[in-house]
Amino acid sequence: MPDATDGRRLVAGEVFVSFAGVGVTYGSGAGRVPALEGISLDFAAGDFVCVVGPSGCGKTTLMQSLAGFLKPSSGTVSIDGRPVDGPGADRGVVFQQPALFPWLTVGGNAGFGPMLRGESRAARAETVEQHLRTVGLWEFRDRYPYELSGGMQQRLAIVRALVNKPKILLMDEPFGALDALTREKMQEELHTVWRRTGMTVLLITHSVEEAVYLGTDVVVMSARPGRIVERIAAPFARREGERSSRETKSLPAFVALRERVLSLIWQSAET
Ligand SMILES: Nc1ncnc2c1ncn2[C@@H]1O[C@H](COP(=O)(O)OP(=O)(O)OP(=O)(O)O)[C@@H](O)[C@H]1O
Ligand SMILES: [Mg+2]
């Protein structure tokens, strides 16, 4: 068994993403906010890591340090042995609030990354159509972001990250604004994309059920300053097509794991 407070349990050759002793402190003097402390967490290529923890515990901060948007105050974040020193095309990011270009249509937003990469117009049109159809936005391709609901905007933000075929997909509570039905549908779509591409995913979610269902690993964080309380291997993500999502989510083993993660969050919020 790995040490409960240690997210590093892989042998060296398997490590793809590594947080080594990462701490992040915002501000200085009296306004100092220690957001993360002593985060050590390794994961392999193809892992689907779900991060859960109380609000304000530093989940977004953790993701931003891997995205390259902020430099940790201590420790190192590395990908494939190379320290992260800024954003890169190998990482696709979906923010907590959808970040879209308001002056571009839905189709324009979806095709923006492939256009930057110089993909031909025909190839781009095909990729965009396929992805917009998958998330149910094809009929809205000529609309502008302000004409979409919050959930539709978030679906478009997910498409925008996926069309770039990133090696690592970073998602910050991407389904929070979706209704229950669409949320389940999007979980399935994300799962399919993950299985087909072998992409590595870091998903932050407030839904413990979602984390246990989608993740190969569930990382539970403590209240601020965020530390890793426990990293739990979850078996359900790699079981393909055996049963429907509702069936899986009502399995006794699933319910037991969900309850275990929930009680860890409650305990960590109280301490
Ligand atoms: N740019 C910033 N400047 C100062 N403090 C910040 C900044 N960003 C975040 N913080 C603080 O750091 C802590 C962690 O914030 P973070 O956004 O990472 O939490 P979170 O776990 O993502 O929360 P939530 O679940 O509500 O999204 C919070 O106390 C927050 O107030
Ligand atoms: Mg957050």
Side-chain angles (χ1 to χ4, degrees):
M1 278 291 285
D3 179 343
T5 59
D6 192 348
R8 319 185 88 186
R9 62 165 171 74
L10 303 171
V11 295
E14 287 181 323
V15 174
F16 182 49
V17 173
S18 173
F19 293 84
V22 170
V24 174
T25 300
Y26 290 110
S28 58
R32 238 174 126 259
V33 180
L36 291 178
E37 216 169 76
I39 300 281
S40 289
L41 175 68
D42 289 345
F43 46 99
D47 280 353
F48 195 128
V49 179
C50 291
V51 180
V52 293
S55 180
C57 75
K59 301 180 295 296
T60 296
T61 303
L62 181 79
M63 190 185 94
Q64 286 182 334
S65 68
L66 178 55
F69 297 141
L70 68 83
K71 199 174 152 34
S73 321
S74 57
T76 324
V77 183
S78 46
I79 299 172
D80 226 357
R82 282 184 296 278
V84 168
D85 69 351
D90 55 342
R91 281 150 288 159
V93 183
V94 179
F95 297 95
Q96 213 161 355
Q97 305 294 333
L100 301 167
F101 297 130
W103 61 89
L104 292 179
T105 60
V106 166
N109 268 281
F112 189 76
M115 185 188 73
L116 276 192
R117 287 201 315 274
E119 220 174 75
S120 76
R121 188 179 283 265
R124 209 158 74 211
E126 195 184 321
T127 315
V128 166
E129 177 169 350
Q130 179 211 335
H131 282 83
L132 288 181
R133 281 194 188 281
T134 299
V135 300
L137 287 178
W138 178 240
E139 287 75 50
F140 297 87
R141 60 192 175 279
D142 296 325
R143 302 285 184 84
Y144 287 85
Y146 75 89
E147 298 177 278
L148 307 179
S149 71
M152 291 158 85
Q153 291 181 16
Q154 193 58 298
R155 280 184 269 158
L156 180 55
I158 293 168
V159 165
R160 247 188 26 171
L162 287 178
V163 291
N164 293 323
K165 303 185 182 72
K167 282 198 202 126
I168 308 175
L169 182 64
L170 306 170
M171 307 180 98
D172 196 350
E173 185 60 24
F175 306 140
L178 304 182
D179 65 276
L181 204 67
T182 312
R183 186 173 188 136
E184 296 225 340
K185 188 168 167 272
M186 290 301 295
Q187 288 176 356
E188 295 307 314
E189 295 302 344
L190 176 60
H191 217 186
T192 307
V193 172
W194 169 70
R195 280 200 304 256
R196 278 194 201 140
T197 59
M199 203 166 51
T200 308
V201 181
L202 181 77
L203 172 81
I204 295 169
T205 176
H206 284 116
S207 163
V208 172
E209 182 180 84
E210 183 166 284
V212 171
Y213 180 65
L214 290 178
T216 56
D217 295 84
V218 179
V219 172
V220 182
M221 286 177 63
S222 70
R224 192 170 58 82
R227 298 189 188 88
I228 293 173
V229 173
E230 197 159 330
R231 175 207 186 124
I232 300 169
F236 307 100
R238 296 211 194 270
R239 283 189 204 156
E240 194 182 340
E242 282 174 23
R243 41 177 82 80
S244 74
S245 79
R246 291 311 324 157
E247 276 168 347
T248 299
K249 288 172 183 175
S250 41
L251 288 174
F254 185 93
V255 175
L257 190 54
R258 192 190 68 202
E259 291 307 305
R260 186 170 153 220
V261 172
L262 262 178
S263 64
L264 280 169
I265 297 175
W266 281 329
Q267 281 164 25
S268 73
E270 280 163 10
T271 49

